[in-house]
């Protein structure tokens, strides 16, 4: 039997990108997936593809930065599945630029989606997880939340805040059997990073002892492990999936 058989997993921002890879890996392990995206057609198309592969998946579209939409999403999950076992806070945006030129709106948007969104989703699910006396919350942070990155003050601040949120909620929820951990990817090869200039890619690789970019599957494997019973005694930790970039 797969290690996540019959578990109900909500992966925010799982319509595409790293979030989709995480959802796929959890589905392969037997979980029932809530495929989530802010765009309804993206969530629906991805969920349909999952079902064609024989995986259990439901599509839900909502904005994680709006509390009423988050609450409605969780209410629907509970109504349809009666429980929620795994929350992966993956939804995020970037609006890069040097701090001196950064627009206040770009700062607010990144912090609101990346950090406030995780706060709202976590707050919404923990009441149900506390009743179950079990649950896994995995936040997708980033190495730049630890080391910083020029031109990403807003993104770095949001991911650093997410690490702080991870540790604080782990201390609050541990007594109820709920673990909270973060995964901090490094340079991961995605559609977005493929468009980076070669000089930027080379700079990232020079910081990576393993000498290669990571893959979305590398991140997904770490998430699936943290979601499984194999990680029962692990909470409040930041797992770096970065080829050694941050040590």
């Amino acid at each position: 039997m797969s290690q996540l058989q019959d578990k109900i997993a909500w992966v925010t921002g799982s319509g595409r990108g790293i979030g989709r890879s995480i959802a796929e890996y959890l589905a392969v392990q037997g979980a029932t997936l809530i495929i989530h995206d802010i765009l309804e057609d993206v969530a629906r198309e991805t969920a349909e593809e999952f079902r064609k592969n024989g995986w259990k998946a439901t599509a839900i579209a909502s904005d994680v930065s709006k509390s009423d939409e988050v609450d409605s999403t969780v209410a629907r999950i509970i109504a349809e599945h009666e429980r929620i076992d795994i929350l992966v806070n993956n939804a995020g945006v970037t609006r890069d630029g040097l701090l001196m030129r950064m627009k206040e709106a770009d700062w607010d948007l990144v912090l609101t989606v990346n950090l406030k969104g995780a706060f709202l989703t976590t707050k919404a699910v923990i009441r149900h997880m506390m009743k179950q006396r079990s649950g896994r919350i995995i936040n997708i942070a980033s190495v730049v939340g630890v080391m910083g990155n020029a031109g990403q003050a807003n993104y770095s601040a949001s991911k650093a805040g997410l690490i702080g949120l991870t540790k604080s909620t782990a201390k609050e929820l541990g007594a109820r059997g709920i673990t909270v951990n973060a995964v901090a990817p490094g340079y991961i090869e995605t559609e977005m990073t493929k468009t980076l200039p070669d000089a930027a890619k080379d700079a990232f690789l020079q910081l990576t002892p393993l000498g290669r970019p990571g893959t979305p599957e590398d991140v997904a494997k770490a998430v699936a492990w943290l979601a499984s019973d194999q990680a029962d005694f692990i909470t409040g930790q930041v797992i770096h999936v970065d080829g050694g970039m941050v040590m």
Side-chain angles (χ1 to χ4, degrees):
M1 182 177 290
S2 299
Q3 60 180 353
L4 299 179
Q5 194 71 35
D6 300 325
K7 300 294 185 182
I8 308 300
W10 175 23
V11 182
T12 69
S14 52
R16 49 195 164 187
I18 290 177
R20 175 172 175 151
S21 292
I22 292 170
E24 287 182 358
Y25 211 82
L26 297 180
V28 168
Q29 297 301 317
T32 296
L33 265 297
I34 310 303
I35 302 298
H36 170 271
D37 198 275
I38 194 170
L39 301 175
E40 184 175 0
D41 58 337
V42 172
R44 186 175 61 251
E45 289 171 8
T46 299
E48 288 175 358
E49 290 179 22
F50 272 46
R51 290 192 291 270
K52 288 178 182 178
N53 286 330
W55 304 330
K56 291 171 283 187
T58 301
I60 295 182
S62 62
D63 185 342
V64 296
S65 71
K66 296 180 179 177
S67 59
D68 57 338
E69 295 191 27
V70 170
D71 290 342
S72 295
T73 296
V74 174
R76 179 178 165 187
I77 294 170
I78 297 300
E80 293 181 3
H81 302 283
E82 298 183 346
R83 61 186 295 115
I84 181 164
D85 301 291
I86 301 161
L87 168 65
V88 181
N89 281 311
N90 167 79
V93 297
T94 58
R95 292 294 185 275
D96 296 348
L98 294 175
L99 184 64
M100 185 170 66
R101 301 191 187 105
M102 186 174 290
K103 297 177 181 178
E104 185 176 347
D106 289 340
W107 173 274
D108 288 345
L109 175 65
V110 172
L111 270 290
T112 298
V113 174
N114 298 4
L115 185 54
K116 181 184 177 183
F119 156 72
L120 291 175
T121 57
T122 299
K123 185 178 179 182
V125 303
I126 58 175
R127 181 177 292 105
H128 303 285
M129 289 183 173
M130 289 171 74
K131 289 180 181 177
Q132 299 165 189
R133 300 194 70 84
S134 67
R136 297 283 191 269
I137 299 172
I138 300 132
N139 297 319
I140 306 303
S142 170
V143 293
V144 303
V146 178
M147 60 186 282
N149 195 33
Q152 288 192 307
N154 50 2
Y155 188 74
S156 298
S158 72
K159 296 302 185 177
L162 194 55
I163 290 171
L165 178 66
T166 298
K167 293 178 178 294
S168 295
T169 50
K171 291 185 175 182
E172 292 185 15
L173 301 174
R176 295 298 185 101
I178 302 166
T179 67
V180 188
N181 292 287
V183 171
Y187 173 34
I188 305 298
E189 198 167 57
T190 63
E191 291 301 319
M192 182 175 67
T193 58
K194 283 179 182 178
T195 64
L196 289 172
D198 289 340
K201 295 179 183 178
D202 291 341
F204 281 125
L205 290 176
Q206 287 176 12
L207 294 172
T208 307
L210 288 185
R212 70 166 179 87
T215 66
E217 289 74 22
D218 290 325
V219 179
K221 291 173 185 177
V223 172
W225 179 70
L226 287 170
S228 75
D229 291 345
Q230 296 175 25
D232 270 348
F233 201 55
I234 298 172
T235 195
Q237 303 305 306
V238 182
I239 308 298
H240 293 271
V241 182
D242 61 4
M245 183 182 290
V246 175
M247 296 188 185

